[in-house]
Amino acid sequence: MIYLAHTAHCQFLGLLFGFLAWLFIVTTTGINEWRLWYVDDVSVITSGVAWVGIWRVCFYSHVLSEAENCRGIGVSDSFVPAEIPSAQVLMMLAVITGLLGNVSGAVAVRFAYFSVEDRRNMRLSFMVAGALYSVTAMLSLVPLVWNMASVLNNSTIDFPPEFNLPVAPVRQSVGAAIGMGMFASILMLISGVIFFC
């Protein structure tokens, strides 16, 4: 019985990876830097860069009343392409399933370290944690890849005039949020595989 607690160190590492990956997914969901739009006309956007996230669009301006101007993007806004509202929904689902995966992983590791009488519940909790971590990785990977493909294809967004953004950027690049999200998804998938083993 003591031997089981000594072999659960990999699963504890998986729980640690899952928790860190979940924190990165939460951060990715809130960051504005999914897309970086570079503009020529710096009369309004004085930095020449606008950050397009899944929740809002921000840029720096010395002309407008506030230095940092941000406008929110809603799920029901008609001007946004399909990948942005989909990312809003899928990333929030990833946050919820990741939290549930962490809870289930913590219960599984607790079973391994403290109570091994009922091995059926322990196996089930490891499998549930692995499944939730894998689902979380897929839920976050889909919007990340979709938005990255839109950036690489130089897809534009027809923002309304009150956003003070041009119809199309000179160029755009993948923001830090997509890179962080990809890392988090891979880490979450590794955590799920560890729990399945």
Side-chain angles (χ1 to χ4, degrees):
M1 298 296 175
I2 294 173
Y3 183 71
L4 184 62
H6 290 290
T7 60
H9 296 313
C10 271
Q11 284 76 14
F12 184 75
L13 185 65
L15 178 64
L16 182 65
F17 282 172
F19 182 72
L20 288 174
W22 179 73
L23 286 177
F24 284 136
I25 286 173
V26 169
T27 304
T28 298
T29 304
I31 283 183
N32 293 331
E33 292 182 19
W34 282 60
R35 302 173 185 205
L36 299 176
W37 274 31
Y38 298 94
V39 296
D40 270 343
D41 184 16
V42 291
S43 60
V44 176
I45 304 172
T46 52
S47 64
V49 179
W51 302 278
V52 181
I54 60 173
W55 301 106
R56 60 190 189 156
V57 179
C58 296
F59 61 87
Y60 289 118
S61 176
H62 297 296
V63 178
L64 300 175
S65 60
E66 295 178 14
E68 184 180 7
N69 288 285
C70 294
R71 295 282 183 165
I73 299 173
V75 176
S76 60
D77 288 342
S78 61
F79 63 89
V80 294
E83 65 264 14
I84 291 180
S86 299
Q88 290 175 343
V89 172
L90 290 174
M91 291 303 287
M92 288 311 296
L93 286 173
V95 167
I96 293 167
T97 56
L99 179 64
L100 293 174
N102 282 328
V103 169
S104 148
V107 167
V109 170
R110 184 187 177 286
F111 276 148
Y113 279 111
F114 297 116
S115 65
V116 288
E117 288 85 20
D118 191 3
R119 298 188 132 204
R120 221 169 355 119
N121 286 341
M122 183 173 58
R123 260 191 220 110
L124 178 66
S125 60
F126 274 115
M127 291 308 217
V128 168
L132 285 170
Y133 280 152
S134 300
V135 167
T136 301
M138 291 302 116
L139 283 172
S140 63
L141 204 55
V142 167
L144 290 164
V145 170
W146 193 0
N147 275 280
M148 186 172 68
S150 294
V151 169
L152 296 177
N153 291 331
N154 205 20
S155 300
T156 62
I157 303 171
D158 190 20
F159 288 108
E162 63 266 11
F163 276 70
N164 295 313
L165 287 166
V167 177
V170 173
R171 68 182 175 91
Q172 57 182 315
S173 63
V174 174
I178 291 181
M180 182 188 302
M182 293 284 196
F183 172 72
S185 297
I186 291 168
L187 194 62
M188 189 67 82
L189 198 57
I190 289 169
S191 182
V193 168
I194 289 173
F195 271 90
F196 279 135
C197 293

